[in-house]
Amino acid sequence: MEGVNDEDSSADLYRSGEDDTASMQWSDSNVDIPHSTCGKETLATLLEDLGLEQLYPEKLSLCTVLQIDKKTITDEPVKCNSDLPWYFLKKLMMVNVTARNAKCTSECEPNCDAAAVKTELDFYDLFEDLNLGEVLNPLDIITALFLCSDGLVRQEMAHKMSMCQFSVPLLLPNCDTKQCTLMLWAMRDIVKKYRPQSLTESKGFIEDRIVLSKLPMISFVRLGECSLSKSEILNKLLSNSQQYHDTFVHHDMECGDSPRRISNGLVEITWYLPCGNKNMDVFSEPVAVANLRGDIDSFETQFSFLCETSAAVFVFFDTLDSKCELLTNQRQKAQIFLVGNHQSQRSSMDALKKVATKLGLTKSNILLKAKQMNDADFVKKLRQTVSNVVENTKMKMGIEQMADIAHELGIWVDEDSPECQTAKKNADAITSEIQDILEYKESQLPLQGQIWKELTLLEKEEFRLRNVGSKKIEDYKSDLQEEKRKLRKQQNSYDMSNAMTCFIQAISSPGIERCYFLKWMRINLDNVSRKKLSDLREQYKEKCKNSENKEEIKEIDRQLSQSSLGIEHFFREMGQIYEASLSLQERVPSRQQLQHLPKLCAELLLDGFPLELVDGDASNIPLRWVSEVLSQLNDLIPKSKILVVTVLGVQSTGKSTLLNTMFGVQFAVSSGRCTRGAFMLLIRINEDVKKVLNCDFMVIIDTEGLKSPELAQLDNSHEHDNELATLVVGLSDITIINIAMENSTEMKDILQIVVHAFLRMTEVGKKPKCQFVHQNVSDVSAHEKNLRDRKLLLQQLNDMTQAAAKMEKKEESRSFTDVMEYSPDTGNWYIPGLWNGNPPMAPVNAGYSEAVYELKKNIIHMLGSCKSTANDVMEFTEWIESLWNAVKHENFIFSFRNSIVADAYMRLCTEFNKWDWAMKKFMYTWVLNAETRIQNFGTVAGKSEISEMSEFLTELKSEARKVLSAWETKLLENLEKYFKQREGHVYLVEGYRENFGNSAKSLRREIESSVLNQLTAAADIRQGMRELDKIKKNHTKQLEERVCALIEECQKKKVQMTEKELDEEFDKMWTKTLNELSFSRMEVKDIYSNVSQHLRQNVKHKGSHACKLLSKKKLQDCGMEPFNVTEGFFKKVQGWFSSHPKAVQQVADSIISICIQCIAGKMQSQNNYHDTYIQEILNLIDERLKNHQDVTTDIGFEVSLKQHICGIAAREFQKMHENFIEVNDPYRCLNQNKEKFLTDFKDVFNERDQCQKKAEEFTRRCLRPAVKDFVNRSLGPDIIGEMLTDQKFSTRMFFQSSVLLDLLSKDVFENYLSYICSYEEYVKKWILDQMVEHFSNGSAMSEFEDRHLLSSIKSINEAIDKAKAKKSGNLKSFVQNVCQELGDKLVISQDALGAFMILNNADEEQFAHWLTGWVTDMAQFLGEEFKKTDILTKLKQLNVNPQNELCAKMIGCGRQCPFCAAPCEAGEKVHSQHFTSLHRPKALGRYRWNETEKLVTDVCSSCVISDTRFRCSDTKNEWHPYKRYAEIYPDWRIAPDVSLQASDYWKYVVAKFNKQFAKEFTAKPADIPVTWKMITRKQAEASVKVSFNTK
Ligand SMILES: Nc1nc2c(ncn2[C@@H]2O[C@H](COP(=O)(O)OP(=O)(O)O)[C@@H](O)[C@H]2O)c(=O)[nH]1
Ligand SMILES: [Mg+2]
Ligand SMILES: [Zn+2]
Ligand SMILES: [Zn+2]
């Protein structure tokens, strides 16, 4: 295409509609259209086309650019022009060299075959497309974006463009205002590293900020039309022979041929930097190359600027005619070179000569491209010329210096903005003070130096207790706290340094100024330390290649740390200032002045600035500072969900580069150790993908590289690496493990660390995802080829996992995939090398960017499909705190505790308790009904067709089993469903799932056995009554006959008989009849012998000695006197760790008391004795004894305790049995009814109407007791249900904390004592108090009563109606019908009914009428009676005892810590490990030091991390290290005190009641550590809330 002027073809902005062909001849339109004709809207219309009009001017911010939106995660082609800028930005931010090749895939384009077939090819359309489907020139897009971007985006764009080796804007034109701007600020962040010839020998290099580098600049401009493609020639000029690269956009690039609409007048710049290799370098010295777009005739200002700043200006032209004054007018410093295309016919030699002479140019200043000369030759010639200039010129200038010239020419400088200037001033004020970095840090940033390091050591020691030595643990801890306090005081003693004052002031400034300031700071600080650091880093890298240089490496590392000074140091200082201030009194002004610091930081975080999470120098997290910043962040973005992506790997393997490429962020990148610790930053998720990703922000954490063990040894950073990896893995949703394949042993060592971290997380309940990234793998088939490698990797990982599991004492065999979600096929990524060619001139490899993009999409996809719940900021903070606290302990797994896990656990417990209760409640009702049916069995009310009780019982039992197994299934299904939820972090408690499943099964078994027992007992008792009933029935019948006979006899006499006579007759008849009847009584059984037998059975398996002991005493003699613990019961135990007789006495007393309560409960029922009762009691004793294994006693104790209790039980049960017989004695029953018989006799005799009276009698004697009984039986479950709705009773943990808080609020010694010494009794009493309190207020109780009362009345009325409908015509059958109807609900006394039935002459209908009336009366009567009864009495009458039920629920397994007797809180019924949240000082377990008799202050949660030892009977009296307590008590999990404040509660109690406890325990008071005395009641309260997570 001859004459085609690529990029310099000036824009033909107005394509005339009339002349289509003309507009297609863009190749000829080489004329710049004068700006005046462009019209005002040029910029505006273009911006509109691009959809950027809202963002102009300078409104596009980094947050918007970096946010993750739909475009980020999908690969939709560019559909319209307004997509173009975003497409470009997205690619540019990922340093993709294809970013500029953006083009609309216009909808009209026949890319769809079907459409093309259907519609005939329409040529008119085709032309239309060419006209209207405006293709935009990339330069226009770039210019537009620069115009719309704020300073920070510009800087980022320029930075990334330079990484792609794209030219960057130097002078940015605005075609509207004609004003152009020098992009000094935009280029500030570009740092280049190169090796000029002079350093080739020494292998040295220069690393500098490019705007400060004084380099010769060579400018290229065009005058008039030019048929040479200037930009293409420049690209060729700068490319070396092996590799061509499009530095400048040119005509032959995609869209490069489109007319430019706004980018004429743009001056771009690029740099050629040598690598020090003669054969490769195009120029051996660095040079800047500028390129002006458009004709200098139209852009004189730009031209003048170039003439004054460049070493040489190359003017490209075709013809030189009238415009040559333009050249001659300049007061240039630059040499002028004229470059003409000789092919061009129009070039006139005359004009050339004229200009050359005028400018005084020599021949060498004129380059003409001859016809036969090809591009390569021409470029060579040009290159030679440029080389000459570069080598000889003195005209070297940094871009910063160009600002002055720009000002003179009326060109703006982007740094002129007031925000930028103020920010610069502020930053300079701080950094200009820096002379020596080390000194500066010591004087200006003193809090973070030695003090903070010492504090860190103290903090860690507090958790690790490595150097306790011979001190008492609690005293030692107290001392550590004191030291910490001193250090904080020392920190507070510093006045805030000048630098910090300025710094804080500056970051308090609003909006963009603050961003400028931080950028300036970063730039300035970098400048200060660059030289030194980059040398050191280079040395470090060199030395690291050979690990023999240990000492040197260590020294360099130390120097690196000393000489580095970044903004993070200032923020660190802020953190320390803030943390130190927290130790001041709350009201102190200096503390209050600092209150706002966290908020400042939170705002910055939201603006996209990184926050230092782990201070790598001190190897610590300033937890309170970080928490407070995050909590402020949470206030700024309440309830926002976040997902976390982190990177781990060996140092200098391109981790930061990877993250920066992936997310467009700016983590510090360099070689050598540069990132210390870990930094986090936030990336916004745009609305359109929030749903997909299920989160609002993404948190990205960049970490310091892990070191190989060899290097780690040098500075003991092994521990630091482990801590860091654990923290980071624990925090992340996805961990990227970065591996540079070259060094496989190093990789293995690092993986070891990582595997440990992952393993720990599974123990915590997290199963993180991970992706392996293998860097520097460029082969396309890498994935296939590396199949074997991947298998090998997995094998290695598996081995490591097992080894790690062993080390962490988790022996079960595990594979890597057990500890994390990883699949060898999808979990590995191969990423080619970063640079395409040799730095510094190499652009970023497109393959790198693309591979990283694939990884990014995959990561985002994985996050979206995360089943786990995203954390919000507060939860994230909680993770940081808990992980870090656990990390500080040596035994991470056992010390990990966090409120999110606890919360998830609590929620699961609460939920399970609900299901558990639903099942129980259902079964209570079921049993009530079944018992009713049993009691009505064989009576008129019995409904069953079965006649044998045993058969009926079997049927009921199988029904019970069926119902129960249905419930079990339901519970298990509930559990299944629960774990499927996405909310509530359920995955964290996955580990407990099995326990809960087993609990459901065990619950079913437990209820089943209790239900079956109840049924058996009820059936047996009922069966025993049946004979009796028959006898009674017979008696009644005989009596009735006799009475009837008597009536007949009397009526025959036909004489009016007086009352007295009737009485006498009746009496005679009564006595006679009773004499004639035979009264067989129920046999009185010897309950003692039954109990005795059961006791023997129970003790039998304890061995012959136990049996012998048993037979020594008769049961009848037992339980008469109070039970006394005697010395004989103890195995003698030496040392300070023995059970005290008094403690044993307390255990015995409490068991006895519990059993007596149980016996009393049985007595209450006024039932007959049944063997299940004594079994129940023996079980009760066994269970309690099991829970008190801490009390070391021998078998003698157990036997005599059981004998004692059984003695009492037998005595009571005997009484109960005899009572029952007495009550049911037929003779007595008959006599009881004598009066009634008499009146009935008189009534019948006198033929009085009995209806009303009989109805009243039936109601009072039969219905009322039955209804009352029904209400009492139903009330128990209601009360329990009601109490369970109280949060206090929702879980064991909640219950514990409520009891403790209640104790604290009363703060009375006796209460504490009773809680500690007779826990169960205390709790039982407490529950009763709670119930009484609960039901004394409010109407809950009477509502329950009313409900059951009403339901009974309703049933009765229905029964009456039904019986009426049957019209039996006979009162007896009527009543029988009524009773039968009620047979499932009410138990009507057979005695009362029998007596009622005789001598009944009432009319059915009349009776029914009266009955209804009396029933209403009864309802009222009972209602009033209920109201009159007080709660306590009511509770006693209940059939199901709520107190016992609640107590059993809340006490749980009942086990107590083997060291301090704190109760277990596990929420599952079945659990393999017991735990408690709040351990107590041993003093409360009566432990004393042998020699001094003083109570012991140690707390078990501290002991288990210290190196101290214990001995007791469980260790066979041998000393055993606390750390390995699990060997002795495998079913206990004693977690170390995570927050260190957890046991404040008991410390407070012990400190306060030290003397009383000592007296009570007959010991000397403990030596209370100093810090204990400072614990306030409020702190004690807080510790409970934190420990139980019940904030
Ligand atoms: N040759 C080459 N250099 C890389 C590659 N990735 C990163 N780098 C360079 O290695 C240096 C260290 O990178 P950085 O991201 O700071 O590593 P980090 O310490 O793991 O965070 C930087 O100068 C990068 O430009 C790569 O794939 N190939
Ligand atoms: Mg890094
Ligand atoms: Zn304990
Ligand atoms: Zn337990």
Side-chain angles (χ1 to χ4, degrees), residues 1457 1459-1460 1479-1480 1500:
C1457 171
F1459 297 117
C1460 72
H1479 292 271
R1480 313 165 181 168
C1500 14

Side-chain angles (χ1 to χ4, degrees), residues 96-116:
N96 193 322
V97 284
T98 66
R100 293 178 304 195
N101 311 355
K103 195 175 184 178
C104 269
T105 48
S106 155
E107 285 143 76
C108 327
E109 222 169 44
N111 51 2
C112 169
D113 291 337

Side-chain angles (χ1 to χ4, degrees), residues 715-731:
D715 51 358
N716 265 332
S717 62
H718 197 64
E719 199 169 82
H720 170 64
D721 280 3
N722 267 321
E723 292 172 356
L724 189 70
T726 306
L727 173 83
V728 159
V729 168
L731 286 179

Side-chain angles (χ1 to χ4, degrees), residues 390-658:
V390 171
E391 272 159 37
N392 300 318
T393 186
K394 294 216 169 54
M395 179 63 192
K396 292 184 183 174
M397 196 181 269
I399 295 167
E400 199 176 38
Q401 289 165 289
M402 297 179 188
D404 294 334
I405 296 167
H407 284 143
E408 281 168 27
L409 293 169
I411 295 172
W412 286 350
V413 178
D414 57 359
E415 283 180 5
D416 286 345
S417 78
E419 292 96 351
C420 187
Q421 282 304 312
T422 325
K424 182 173 167 40
K425 231 188 297 145
N426 288 337
D428 288 349
I430 296 173
T431 53
S432 62
E433 298 291 314
I434 305 172
Q435 306 292 333
D436 178 277
I437 290 181
L438 190 57
E439 244 170 56
Y440 183 83
K441 282 204 277 195
E442 270 167 10
S443 67
Q444 296 296 311
L445 312 170
L447 269 58
Q448 63 185 282
Q450 204 49 37
I451 308 182
W452 169 227
K453 283 193 184 129
E454 274 168 36
L455 263 170
T456 298
L457 289 181
L458 285 174
E459 255 179 37
K460 289 191 177 169
E461 179 59 12
E462 235 182 328
F463 283 96
R464 290 174 187 168
L465 303 176
R466 283 180 183 160
N467 307 316
V468 189
S470 57
K471 275 192 189 157
K472 287 182 200 159
I473 294 177
E474 289 303 325
D475 289 343
Y476 180 63
K477 280 173 88 172
S478 177
D479 292 349
L480 290 176
Q481 278 177 26
E482 272 304 298
E483 278 181 61
K484 262 170 62 183
R485 207 192 313 277
K486 267 189 216 138
L487 287 174
R488 285 295 186 200
K489 210 170 152 196
Q490 197 188 335
Q491 284 186 326
N492 279 323
S493 71
Y494 288 102
D495 285 332
M496 201 190 285
S497 69
N498 208 11
M500 282 315 291
T501 316
C502 296
F503 184 79
I504 290 172
Q505 206 162 28
I507 61 165
S508 308
S509 58
I512 189 102
E513 186 183 317
R514 166 158 71 185
C515 301
Y516 273 119
F517 167 75
L518 287 170
K519 223 38 204 273
W520 275 119
M521 279 299 284
R522 184 163 142 176
I523 290 168
N524 288 356
L525 291 170
D526 250 21
N527 293 347
V528 170
S529 55
R530 172 168 316 103
K531 178 74 189 98
K532 181 131 196 212
L533 280 182
S534 76
D535 284 347
L536 282 170
R537 279 187 202 127
E538 209 57 30
Q539 281 178 35
Y540 184 84
K541 231 161 105 183
E542 269 314 300
K543 298 282 189 241
C544 279
K545 283 183 190 148
N546 186 352
S547 50
E548 277 176 10
N549 311 317
K550 284 180 186 159
E551 277 312 305
E552 287 162 87
I553 296 176
K554 197 171 163 184
E555 175 58 24
I556 298 172
D557 201 39
R558 200 182 55 79
Q559 284 186 22
L560 263 172
S561 162
Q562 277 183 356
S563 332
S564 63
L565 174 59
I567 319 181
E568 69 267 22
H569 291 93
F570 288 82
F571 281 113
R572 228 180 249 177
E573 191 71 5
M574 241 166 95
Q576 285 308 308
I577 292 175
Y578 180 78
E579 286 209 330
S581 81
L582 292 180
S583 64
L584 296 172
Q585 293 293 320
E586 233 162 275
R587 294 242 165 66
V588 173
S590 56
R591 173 170 173 175
Q592 294 197 323
Q593 277 160 19
L594 301 170
Q595 292 295 331
H596 68 291
L597 294 185
K599 180 147 185 242
L600 274 180
C601 254
E603 285 168 5
L604 287 171
L605 203 49
L606 205 54
D607 282 348
F609 280 92
L611 171 74
E612 186 179 58
L613 208 55
V614 181
D615 170 350
D617 286 324
S619 203
N620 198 4
I621 300 181
L623 267 186
R624 298 188 68 179
W625 164 248
V626 169
S627 311
E628 196 46 44
V629 171
L630 291 175
S631 141
Q632 291 293 335
L633 178 70
N634 188 58
D635 290 349
L636 294 174
I637 46 166
K639 293 214 182 95
S640 290
K641 295 271 178 202
I642 56 176
L643 287 172
V644 186
V645 177
T646 56
V647 68
L648 271 180
V650 185
Q651 41 180 324
S652 282
T653 48
K655 295 182 300 297
S656 308
T657 312
L658 183 73

Side-chain angles (χ1 to χ4, degrees), residues 314 337-340 364-369 378 381-382 385:
F314 286 72
F337 288 86
L338 297 175
V339 185
S364 63
N365 286 41
I366 298 169
L367 287 91
L368 290 180
K369 185 172 179 244
F378 181 66
K381 198 168 149 195
L382 196 58
T385 318

Side-chain angles (χ1 to χ4, degrees), residues 1258-1259 1261-1267 1356 1382 1386 1388 1411 1415 1418:
F1258 181 65
T1259 315
R1261 294 175 55 116
C1262 300
L1263 292 179
R1264 199 161 86 193
V1267 169
I1356 293 172
L1382 294 170
L1386 301 179
I1388 290 169
L1411 187 58
V1415 167
M1418 170 188 77

Side-chain angles (χ1 to χ4, degrees), residues 302-310 313 330 332-334 336:
Q302 280 93 325
F303 181 55
S304 309
F305 175 83
L306 292 177
C307 287
E308 287 191 44
T309 53
S310 310
V313 178
Q330 301 299 325
Q332 64 256 47
K333 296 164 189 151
I336 297 285

